[in-house]
PDB file of all heavy atoms in Angstrom:
ATOM      1  N   ASP A 275      -1.139   9.958   0.564  1.00  0.00           N
ATOM      2  CA  ASP A 275      -1.930  11.061   0.011  1.00  0.00           C
ATOM      3  C   ASP A 275      -1.401  11.493  -1.351  1.00  0.00           C
ATOM      4  O   ASP A 275      -2.176  11.805  -2.260  1.00  0.00           O
ATOM      5  CB  ASP A 275      -1.962  12.253   0.973  1.00  0.00           C
ATOM      6  CG  ASP A 275      -2.960  12.078   2.101  1.00  0.00           C
ATOM      7  OD1 ASP A 275      -3.848  11.202   1.995  1.00  0.00           O
ATOM      8  OD2 ASP A 275      -2.850  12.814   3.093  1.00  0.00           O
ATOM      9  N   THR A 288      -8.398   4.646   1.898  1.00  0.00           N
ATOM     10  CA  THR A 288      -9.372   4.850   2.968  1.00  0.00           C
ATOM     11  C   THR A 288      -8.702   4.386   4.262  1.00  0.00           C
ATOM     12  O   THR A 288      -7.531   4.041   4.276  1.00  0.00           O
ATOM     13  CB  THR A 288     -10.695   4.094   2.694  1.00  0.00           C
ATOM     14  OG1 THR A 288     -11.661   4.509   3.678  1.00  0.00           O
ATOM     15  CG2 THR A 288     -10.526   2.594   2.757  1.00  0.00           C
ATOM     16  N   THR A 289      -9.443   4.392   5.326  1.00  0.00           N
ATOM     17  CA  THR A 289      -8.942   3.866   6.598  1.00  0.00           C
ATOM     18  C   THR A 289      -9.961   2.875   7.143  1.00  0.00           C
ATOM     19  O   THR A 289     -11.135   2.892   6.757  1.00  0.00           O
ATOM     20  CB  THR A 289      -8.741   4.983   7.644  1.00  0.00           C
ATOM     21  OG1 THR A 289     -10.013   5.534   7.983  1.00  0.00           O
ATOM     22  CG2 THR A 289      -7.797   6.069   7.144  1.00  0.00           C
ATOM     23  N   ALA A 302      -2.616  10.091  20.343  1.00  0.00           N
ATOM     24  CA  ALA A 302      -2.455  11.266  19.488  1.00  0.00           C
ATOM     25  C   ALA A 302      -0.973  11.551  19.240  1.00  0.00           C
ATOM     26  O   ALA A 302      -0.605  12.092  18.202  1.00  0.00           O
ATOM     27  CB  ALA A 302      -3.130  12.470  20.124  1.00  0.00           C
ATOM     28  N   CYS A 313      -3.758   6.522  15.757  1.00  0.00           N
ATOM     29  CA  CYS A 313      -3.325   6.290  14.374  1.00  0.00           C
ATOM     30  C   CYS A 313      -4.416   5.599  13.575  1.00  0.00           C
ATOM     31  O   CYS A 313      -4.931   4.568  13.997  1.00  0.00           O
ATOM     32  CB  CYS A 313      -2.082   5.415  14.339  1.00  0.00           C
ATOM     33  SG  CYS A 313      -0.599   6.238  14.916  1.00  0.00           S
ATOM     34  N   ASN A 315      -5.803   3.252  10.561  1.00  0.00           N
ATOM     35  CA  ASN A 315      -5.310   2.066   9.867  1.00  0.00           C
ATOM     36  C   ASN A 315      -5.577   2.271   8.386  1.00  0.00           C
ATOM     37  O   ASN A 315      -6.706   2.110   7.925  1.00  0.00           O
ATOM     38  CB  ASN A 315      -6.013   0.806  10.383  1.00  0.00           C
ATOM     39  CG  ASN A 315      -5.876   0.675  11.875  1.00  0.00           C
ATOM     40  OD1 ASN A 315      -6.806   0.954  12.611  1.00  0.00           O
ATOM     41  ND2 ASN A 315      -4.717   0.276  12.341  1.00  0.00           N
ATOM     42  N   LEU A 318      -4.903   0.899   1.469  1.00  0.00           N
ATOM     43  CA  LEU A 318      -4.584   1.339   0.119  1.00  0.00           C
ATOM     44  C   LEU A 318      -4.938   0.206  -0.828  1.00  0.00           C
ATOM     45  O   LEU A 318      -4.442  -0.903  -0.681  1.00  0.00           O
ATOM     46  CB  LEU A 318      -3.091   1.667   0.003  1.00  0.00           C
ATOM     47  CG  LEU A 318      -2.612   2.084  -1.383  1.00  0.00           C
ATOM     48  CD1 LEU A 318      -3.096   3.494  -1.691  1.00  0.00           C
ATOM     49  CD2 LEU A 318      -1.099   2.021  -1.455  1.00  0.00           C
ATOM     50  N   HIS A 326     -10.887  -2.132 -15.168  1.00  0.00           N
ATOM     51  CA  HIS A 326     -11.815  -2.895 -14.332  1.00  0.00           C
ATOM     52  C   HIS A 326     -12.519  -1.952 -13.352  1.00  0.00           C
ATOM     53  O   HIS A 326     -12.179  -1.897 -12.173  1.00  0.00           O
ATOM     54  CB  HIS A 326     -11.068  -3.979 -13.558  1.00  0.00           C
ATOM     55  CG  HIS A 326     -10.278  -4.895 -14.423  1.00  0.00           C
ATOM     56  ND1 HIS A 326     -10.850  -5.871 -15.189  1.00  0.00           N
ATOM     57  CD2 HIS A 326      -8.941  -4.962 -14.657  1.00  0.00           C
ATOM     58  CE1 HIS A 326      -9.913  -6.518 -15.856  1.00  0.00           C
ATOM     59  NE2 HIS A 326      -8.753  -5.983 -15.557  1.00  0.00           N
ATOM     60  N   GLY A 347       2.350  -5.252  15.342  1.00  0.00           N
ATOM     61  CA  GLY A 347       1.792  -4.007  15.858  1.00  0.00           C
ATOM     62  C   GLY A 347       2.781  -2.880  16.016  1.00  0.00           C
ATOM     63  O   GLY A 347       2.681  -1.881  15.339  1.00  0.00           O
ATOM     64  N   ASN A 348       3.757  -3.023  16.893  1.00  0.00           N
ATOM     65  CA  ASN A 348       4.662  -1.912  17.152  1.00  0.00           C
ATOM     66  C   ASN A 348       6.016  -2.051  16.450  1.00  0.00           C
ATOM     67  O   ASN A 348       6.909  -1.256  16.686  1.00  0.00           O
ATOM     68  CB  ASN A 348       4.874  -1.735  18.661  1.00  0.00           C
ATOM     69  CG  ASN A 348       5.607  -2.908  19.281  1.00  0.00           C
ATOM     70  OD1 ASN A 348       5.779  -3.951  18.654  1.00  0.00           O
ATOM     71  ND2 ASN A 348       6.012  -2.749  20.524  1.00  0.00           N
TER      72      ASN A 348
END
Side-chain angles (χ1 to χ4, degrees):
D275 280 344
T288 189
T289 66
C313 289
N315 305 103
L318 177 73
H326 305 285
N348 66 348

